[in-house]
Amino acid sequence: MSTRIYHNPHCSKCRETLALLNDAHVEAEIVEYLNTPPSREELVEILAMLDMRPRQLMRRHEEEYKANHLDDETLSDDALIDAMLRMPKLIERPIVVSNGKAVIGRPPVNVKSIL
């Protein structure tokens, strides 16, 4: 079983989710996604596992979202994915991928559903 967490060490929910994984004795690959964003293929795969459209995975309150007019409903999914790849801060966090499934750790206890 391979588990990966897309993590921001400055985010309390990320830290809580990582602690939950550690408490469950789950060895997870930690991806600090602000420094090492997922590839397009990984992001598309994560979206599919989450059964989400790109806008649903975006942090819409971030200044980058507003400044880049990403609230424009005419933008394609590809354009929104491109924006998340350019500005990974826009990607909701934490995301845990395990056993071919993914979940957003908000709240962190959500992660238990895929372990």
Side-chain angles (χ1 to χ4, degrees), residues 3 5 8 14 20 25 32 44 49 55 61 83 85 87 91 95 106 109 114:
T3 300
I5 178 171
N8 175 351
C14 289
L20 186 145
H25 305 289
E32 290 190 24
V44 168
M49 286 188 273
R55 191 177 310 278
H61 67 278
L85 295 173
M87 299 170 281
I91 301 171
I95 300 170
R106 287 187 175 270
V109 71
I114 65 167

Side-chain angles (χ1 to χ4, degrees), residues 94-111:
I95 300 170
V96 176
V97 178
S98 185
N99 298 317
K101 298 177 183 175
V103 69
I104 298 173
R106 287 187 175 270
V109 71
N110 286 350
V111 171

Side-chain angles (χ1 to χ4, degrees), residues 3-51:
T3 300
R4 177 180 296 150
I5 178 171
Y6 292 88
H7 177 73
N8 175 351
H10 302 289
C11 167
S12 64
K13 295 298 182 207
C14 289
R15 292 191 307 268
E16 290 174 32
T17 301
L18 187 57
L20 186 145
L21 292 172
N22 289 334
D23 289 348
H25 305 289
V26 174
E27 290 186 34
E29 174 189 358
I30 300 169
V31 178
E32 290 190 24
Y33 72 97
L34 295 177
N35 299 324
T36 308
S39 68
R40 172 176 283 284
E41 294 77 22
E42 288 171 315
L43 190 53
V44 168
E45 185 176 311
I46 289 167
L47 285 163
M49 286 188 273
L50 291 168
D51 193 27

Side-chain angles (χ1 to χ4, degrees), residues 9 26 35-36 38 56 58 64 71 83 86 88-90 101-102 113:
V26 174
N35 299 324
T36 308
Q56 294 173 289
M58 296 180 89
E64 292 85 349
D71 58 344
R86 278 192 325 275
K89 183 178 182 181
L90 293 172
K101 298 177 183 175
S113 70

